[in-house]
Amino acid sequence: MPGEYHFTHKHVLGLADFSVADINLVLQTAESFKEISTRSIKKVPTLRGKTVINLFFEPSTRTRLSFEVAAKRMSADTFNISSSSSSTTKGETLIDTARNLTAMKPDCIIIRHSRSGSARLLADNIDASVINAGDGTHEHPSQGLLDLMTVKEAKGKIAGLKIAIIGDIAHSRVAHSNIIGFSKMGAQVVVGGPATLIPPGIEEMGATVSRNVIDAVDGADVVMALRIQQERQQDPLFPSLREYAGFYGVSPKVVDAAAPDAIIMHPGPINRGVELDPRVADGSRSVILEQVTNGVAVRMALIYLIMGGN
Amino acid sequence: MTASTDVILLRGGRVIDPVNGVDGVCDLLLADGRIKAVAPSGTIADLPAETKVYELAGKLVCPGFIDMHVHLREPGEEYKETIETGSRAAAAGGFTAVACMPNTKPVNDNLAVTSLILAKAALAGLARVYPVGAISKTSQGESLAEFGEMRQAGVVAVTDDGLPVNNSQLMRRALEYAGSHGLLVISHAEEMALSRNGVMNDGALATRLGLRGIPGAAEEIMVYRDLALAGYTKRPIHIAHVSTRESVSLIRRAKEKGIRVTAETAPHYFTLTEEAVDNYNTRAKMNPPLRTADDVAAICAGLHDGTLDAIATDHAPHSELEKEVEFDLAANGIIGLETAVPLALALVRQGKIDIGRLVELMSVNPAHILGVVGGSLAEGGVADVTVIDPEKKFVFKEEDIHSKSKNSPFLGSQLQGKAVLTIMGGRVTYGDGI
Ligand SMILES: [Zn+2]
């Protein structure tokens, strides 16, 4: 049938590559997989005999675990290669690693790496499907999708919502995937934070910029706080965590400026009392744990879809 | 260089020799490494029997092109390029001379390295190679290298290219002391505090790719500092690889004020924009980075109006090892010797400069700035000649590259205009189907 939609991606490198139809399909698929997690036997044979490798060059227990659980629930064989045991520290390049992995005939490689573009570099040099689990400050598409899923569940829709993303936009791949994903799906994305953490041209990605946090969250349906990475402090981005928390932290007062039924999100792990006040993180509007649950469902959907299920 | 040279007659080409006000169909007789005669076509009589005649109707006959900014990698990184392969690439690209930057391993900060480069260049015999010495010992930016001894050994200029001279007092002293030894100082203008860890132009594309940007200000601040120091010391300064609109306008204003500044840009800065690095294309990664269309327009205007004096390639060979990696980790720079002529000719076709200006930018001015032979086709001068077929179309392919390295963003591009005959000191160093 002409014009019929097909999911044709071999890799998941970034939401910039995804169409609205692609995103809708992932979210629908994830919803159906989410049910599996509620069963007493949380496993289906969908990917029996398939090999999924978690190739993590940056420590991240939660994302790795989420992908591993997702693959295992579909009966794939999973292997973890972490930075401490991977060879790149011994001078082997990412391309060498890719070629060595190819020899093991994996079906899917999940990569987390500190350098932007590394997922694409791997995809260009390997036969397997590649899922980007975070590359430098570029994208973290599965996080963007699980955030879309969480918002859609809580609000029943995405189009027309106002999404406020607060904090370190410049160094956050989560922010990038969310700005791209939410704006593609018809939401209005406003980013807020100190000028040092708002990168040039972020408007071209689909966000509007508000320097003032209260203005950014004004009437917002979703308030998302981003993690401040304290290791970046060799670049003088702001004077102190104390001042940051005072001016840019998501506090109950900030939340009061949002819509009465606004939900609070954070990609984790949280610096409590810095970018997110504990009263907000643990409050009734917080959907942070729901994000974690949806993370598994979205990752199941991604692995399933790129391995040909449709 | 070899003493025995042929007698060569270049017949019927369009001779473009701005210094002597020539632009027309002429014949050129070369003998004993010199230009023996320039005369209306068909009027040179009594040719020796062994005269080699080239029929050049439709070709451009220019004074030999001089690339005043190349990296030949020898000594130390011969797997990327050697003086011989670099000289061959120069000849194939239409260059009769190159000035090689000192960031070799070891750094060319002493007469021994300078002498080695010159000895290897003479052995290759494919191009005049002018070594450029370091400003500071090992280019560490702390103390002056031995300008006097390097000058005696044969350097024509000094620079810490690849790195800026961060210490303004050292730069001031370098300008002053270089004057005592008749050396030009070349500035690699970069404020490292702003550029550190940056890998491409700062802006929306860098944000989208998640790559750290280098703002134009990182270049402009240092251009201004070096113009201020040149004005203060009343010494000439040459600004390398100008990449931004504001740098062009700073240089333009300095020239108006009488500051002795010359400047070069590279073909990639008037041909490509930052878009070339999209999809993490490491073949377009360089320092300074490719900028915006607005900067490209300003560079073209600067080439046209005389603000920029020279086109130099910043030929920077790297092996696949340095380029087949994450973008952050990839080496900076592209090879340029074999694409400069077609890229510059594109400016002529687009009406941005005329052909006479192109010859000034690629031959006349580099010779004057460096104080070296060439840049002219006057009778009695050195027989350094570049012959170009402006119509020749070709696809730039890896297997056709003479450089040892293949790191070019122009691989696979359809180019127009090519050096078809290169003559250095009366000897043919490159001929392509002619
Ligand atoms: Zn340089």
Side-chain angles (χ1 to χ4, degrees):
Chain A
M1 219 202 299
E4 197 187 342
Y5 167 75
H6 290 286
F7 184 87
T8 53
H9 297 279
K10 184 184 178 192
H11 310 293
V12 181
L13 304 180
L15 289 190
D17 307 328
F18 271 36
S19 66
V20 170
D22 293 331
I23 291 171
N24 277 326
L25 178 65
V26 174
L27 299 184
Q28 279 163 27
T29 311
E31 272 166 44
S32 64
F33 278 134
K34 192 173 178 184
E35 177 268 331
I36 295 170
S37 307
T38 63
R39 297 180 191 170
S40 58
I41 295 172
K42 301 178 179 58
K43 201 160 181 172
V44 291
T46 320
L47 297 180
R48 186 174 290 158
K50 301 282 189 189
T51 301
V52 175
I53 294 179
N54 279 310
L55 180 61
F56 274 54
F57 294 95
E58 275 186 341
S60 163
T61 315
R62 55 173 64 209
T63 304
R64 189 189 51 81
L65 195 62
S66 181
F67 272 107
E68 192 177 350
V69 168
K72 286 207 155 97
R73 288 207 171 142
M74 293 186 292
S75 304
D77 296 319
T78 65
F79 301 90
N80 294 317
I81 304 174
S82 63
S83 60
S84 52
S85 63
S86 75
S87 321
T88 47
T89 47
K90 299 175 209 140
E92 189 180 86
T93 67
L94 183 58
I95 286 187
D96 291 333
T97 305
R99 286 173 187 151
N100 284 329
L101 287 175
T102 295
M104 298 170 204
K105 306 259 183 280
D107 298 287
C108 178
I109 297 183
I110 319 288
I111 181 174
R112 156 75 57 106
H113 197 287
S114 63
R115 305 290 181 179
S116 299
S118 50
R120 177 183 292 270
L121 184 66
L122 181 70
D124 287 345
N125 286 280
I126 199 161
D127 296 332
S129 286
V130 171
I131 298 179
N132 179 8
D135 63 328
T137 52
H138 174 226
E139 277 222 48
H140 191 356
S142 64
Q143 178 75 41
L145 289 162
L146 75 87
D147 287 341
L148 285 162
M149 180 178 182
T150 305
V151 169
K152 196 174 177 201
E153 278 186 352
K155 297 286 170 193
K157 61 172 185 178
I158 296 168
L161 297 179
K162 178 178 174 181
I163 317 291
I165 305 179
I166 307 301
D168 186 355
I169 312 299
H171 304 100
S172 172
R173 53 198 174 206
V174 174
H176 294 173
S177 290
N178 272 316
I179 292 167
I180 294 165
F182 279 101
S183 56
K184 248 179 203 175
M185 300 306 285
Q188 179 204 355
V189 182
V190 181
V191 298
T196 46
L197 297 178
I198 307 289
I202 195 70
E203 297 87 350
E204 289 182 26
M205 216 180 259
T208 52
V209 176
S210 179
R211 303 288 184 211
N212 176 308
V213 170
I214 297 290
D215 290 347
V217 303
D218 182 36
D221 303 288
V222 175
V223 178
M224 186 182 299
L226 296 174
R227 179 177 170 78
I228 281 296
Q229 289 173 333
Q230 300 176 38
E231 60 269 31
R232 294 200 188 276
Q233 288 305 301
Q234 75 274 20
D235 191 351
L237 295 164
F238 53 85
S240 65
L241 291 175
R242 202 177 67 87
E243 175 151 315
Y244 184 89
F247 283 81
Y248 305 104
V250 175
S251 62
K253 183 169 146 263
V254 169
V255 173
D256 283 346
D261 59 347
I263 56 171
I264 310 299
M265 303 177 76
H266 189 291
I270 304 169
N271 295 304
R272 283 173 188 270
V274 182
E275 71 267 5
L276 198 55
D277 188 297
R279 287 166 291 176
V280 177
D282 304 328
S284 59
R285 295 160 161 208
S286 167
V287 294
I288 293 170
L289 292 176
E290 198 54 30
Q291 289 175 270
V292 177
T293 307
N294 288 340
V296 174
V298 155
R299 286 162 182 139
M300 288 172 78
L302 287 175
I303 296 170
Y304 172 76
L305 288 170
I306 60 167
M307 289 178 39
N310 202 334
Chain B
M1 316 208 171
T2 339
S4 73
T5 49
D6 302 327
V7 178
I8 295 173
L9 182 69
L10 305 177
R11 188 149 67 192
R14 177 180 166 196
V15 174
I16 299 158
D17 181 14
V19 171
N20 299 296
V22 177
D23 181 353
V25 175
C26 287
D27 291 354
L28 224 68
L29 184 67
L30 316 176
D32 302 323
R34 298 267 153 190
I35 296 166
K36 272 280 165 333
V38 187
S41 202
T43 62
I44 299 178
D46 301 327
L47 295 173
E50 73 275 18
T51 303
K52 175 93 176 102
V53 179
Y54 291 92
E55 298 294 347
L56 300 178
K59 310 289 190 287
L60 308 175
V61 179
C62 313
F65 287 180
I66 301 169
D67 187 345
M68 62 181 300
H69 193 136
V70 303
H71 298 268
L72 296 183
R73 305 299 186 209
E74 187 175 5
E77 291 178 308
E78 291 83 355
Y79 70 99
K80 297 182 180 184
E81 193 82 285
T82 65
I83 290 164
E84 188 192 342
T85 60
S87 299
R88 182 166 294 125
F95 292 96
T96 54
V98 296
C100 61
M101 295 296 125
N103 62 337
T104 45
K105 294 176 180 171
V107 170
N108 182 12
D109 63 355
N110 63 76
L111 67 92
V113 177
T114 303
S115 305
L116 173 91
I117 291 168
L118 286 169
K120 294 264 187 175
L123 215 56
L126 292 162
R128 299 179 198 275
V129 174
Y130 300 114
V132 176
I135 286 174
S136 64
K137 290 198 175 82
T138 66
S139 288
Q140 290 298 295
E142 277 156 23
S143 57
L144 290 176
E146 287 153 351
F147 291 5
E149 287 193 1
M150 288 194 293
R151 175 64 169 167
Q152 282 179 342
V155 304
V156 295
V158 288
T159 182
D160 277 351
D161 184 58
L163 294 167
V165 175
N166 287 316
N167 179 332
S168 300
Q169 177 69 354
L170 182 69
M171 192 60 164
R172 170 198 169 179
R173 293 303 187 207
L175 283 160
E176 291 170 346
Y177 189 66
S180 296
H181 293 282
L183 286 170
L184 174 71
V185 175
I186 299 174
S187 162
H188 167 114
E190 179 180 0
E191 164 54 46
M192 295 282 279
L194 279 172
S195 64
R196 189 162 287 122
N197 300 325
V199 294
M200 67 169 290
N201 186 44
D202 199 29
L205 183 61
T207 295
R208 172 156 71 75
L209 292 171
L211 295 173
R212 191 172 173 95
I214 301 173
E219 175 177 311
E220 293 142 9
I221 286 166
M222 279 303 223
V223 167
Y224 183 76
R225 182 202 70 173
D226 288 345
L227 293 172
L229 289 173
Y232 174 65
T233 59
K234 300 189 167 54
R235 292 294 313 157
I237 187 121
H238 178 78
I239 310 291
H241 41 60
V242 170
S243 77
T244 78
R245 171 177 287 277
E246 180 61 12
S247 293
V248 173
S249 74
L250 286 168
I251 293 163
R252 187 178 290 124
R253 266 181 282 155
K255 285 189 168 184
E256 284 162 9
K257 281 190 277 186
I259 291 171
R260 296 166 69 189
V261 55
T262 54
E264 76 194 30
T265 191
H268 35 272
Y269 299 121
F270 60 70
T271 306
L272 299 175
T273 68
E274 60 177 353
E275 297 293 330
V277 307
D278 203 355
N279 297 319
Y280 305 96
N281 179 14
T282 60
R283 284 214 163 107
K285 183 183 175 187
M286 57 192 71
N287 186 29
L290 295 170
R291 304 288 187 183
T292 66
D294 181 58
D295 295 298
V296 170
I299 299 276
C300 291
L303 288 168
H304 174 78
D305 73 11
T307 302
L308 299 175
D309 302 273
I311 293 172
T313 68
D314 200 359
H315 179 78
H318 291 292
S319 79
E320 285 296 304
L321 288 174
E322 285 92 13
K323 288 289 189 180
E324 265 200 343
V325 291
E326 297 87 322
F327 195 89
D328 281 343
L329 305 179
N332 283 312
I334 68 169
I335 55 169
L337 284 166
E338 295 171 77
T339 46
V341 164
L343 296 176
L345 279 168
L347 292 183
V348 177
R349 286 198 305 276
Q350 292 157 12
K352 288 171 180 156
I353 57 172
D354 64 28
I355 187 69
R357 179 68 187 150
L358 181 148
V359 173
E360 287 174 0
L361 290 162
M362 299 186 76
S363 179
V364 179
N365 295 346
H368 287 171
I369 294 165
L370 295 174
V372 299
V373 296
S376 152
L377 293 175
E379 288 176 11
V382 292
D384 288 8
V385 184
T386 298
V387 178
I388 294 166
D389 180 347
E391 305 301 327
K392 182 162 181 158
K393 291 193 170 102
F394 66 105
V395 174
F396 188 56
K397 291 201 285 272
E398 200 165 317
E399 57 266 33
D400 299 333
I401 294 175
H402 295 75
S403 170
K404 211 169 202 181
S405 293
K406 319 294 173 194
N407 53 306
S408 169
F410 300 108
L411 279 176
S413 298
Q414 167 88 49
L415 302 175
Q416 183 182 340
K418 193 175 180 304
V420 288
L421 182 66
T422 309
I423 298 170
M424 187 268 296
R427 249 172 351 95
V428 173
T429 51
Y430 178 75
D432 176 11
I434 200 154

